[in-house]
Amino acid sequence: MATENFIGLDSAAVKKIITGLSDLLANHQIYYTNLRGLHWDIKGDKFFELHELYEEYYNNEASAIDEVAERIVMLGEYPENRFSEYIKKSDIKEIHSVSDWEAGIKNILSSMKIFLEKYRNLLLLASEANDSGTASLARKRIGELETNLWKLTAYMG
């Protein structure tokens, strides 16, 4: 028996939700890797505060990745685990050797805006399908993104 039948959701709606979750997973994986790079490469007078912030962010990303992947499994599919596929599908692009704090924060802001749009779209799909689990996941991430966008925008001045 497929998981989606077990939890009583419409199969056609679940396919759309899985597509949205899979897209998020690819973007989360690239973003996570970018955050690790920012953490390693930061230099200058903002080093200490941003080194810590980037670590906090990539630890949160690890949790987000796991939640999204496990939701895909709960809905009856296997989550993608190949970086070659993530790179093809992700709207967030890889970055490398970014040591300038402003460039790093601008990249994070841009990525968060991409996520905010994707999670809002996922929330609509999940709500229409009466998928409370996915809707809850999306609401949680939207709240975190909105808070972080506000704080980072204030940080940039």
Side-chain angles (χ1 to χ4, degrees):
M1 177 186 293
T3 305
E4 67 234 36
N5 293 331
F6 174 73
I7 59 177
L9 298 174
D10 176 72
S11 295
V14 165
K15 286 180 184 179
K16 291 178 186 176
I17 292 167
I18 289 172
T19 298
L21 288 165
S22 296
D23 178 57
L24 278 161
L25 181 60
N27 281 277
H28 275 296
Q29 289 284 23
I30 300 301
Y31 181 55
Y32 172 83
T33 302
N34 287 348
L35 288 167
R36 294 299 300 241
L38 290 170
H39 172 76
W40 295 326
D41 297 338
I42 184 69
K43 298 200 180 348
D45 63 342
K46 306 272 188 205
F47 172 82
F48 287 104
E49 63 201 74
L50 291 181
H51 188 75
E52 265 187 51
L53 181 68
Y54 295 155
E55 184 173 0
E56 177 187 328
Y57 281 2
Y58 72 68
N59 285 331
N60 288 340
E61 276 304 294
S63 177
I65 287 165
D66 198 49
E67 286 179 7
V68 169
E70 287 179 353
R71 189 67 192 167
I72 292 169
V73 172
M74 281 184 241
L75 294 173
E77 285 292 331
Y78 291 101
E80 183 59 64
N81 68 324
R82 296 170 294 178
F83 256 85
S84 58
E85 292 301 312
Y86 297 148
I87 290 168
K88 290 178 198 172
K89 294 177 183 177
S90 180
D91 293 312
I92 296 172
K93 300 305 174 200
E94 294 176 299
I95 59 172
H96 181 65
S97 299
V98 177
S99 59
D100 176 71
W101 77 269
E102 286 185 85
I105 296 295
K106 285 178 182 175
N107 181 273
I108 289 173
L109 286 168
S110 173
S111 297
M112 286 182 175
K113 288 175 185 175
I114 289 169
F115 280 120
L116 192 56
E117 180 181 344
K118 290 180 181 296
Y119 273 108
R120 286 176 175 160
N121 290 335
L122 182 65
L123 179 58
L124 288 174
L125 284 174
S127 296
E128 290 170 4
N130 202 26
D131 179 356
S132 299
T134 302
S136 177
L137 184 153
R139 278 188 199 93
K140 174 184 168 191
R141 292 287 165 209
I142 289 167
E144 290 170 0
L145 286 162
E146 289 175 346
T147 299
N148 288 335
L149 279 163
W150 163 64
K151 287 179 179 180
L152 285 177
T153 301
Y155 183 78
M156 290 292 288

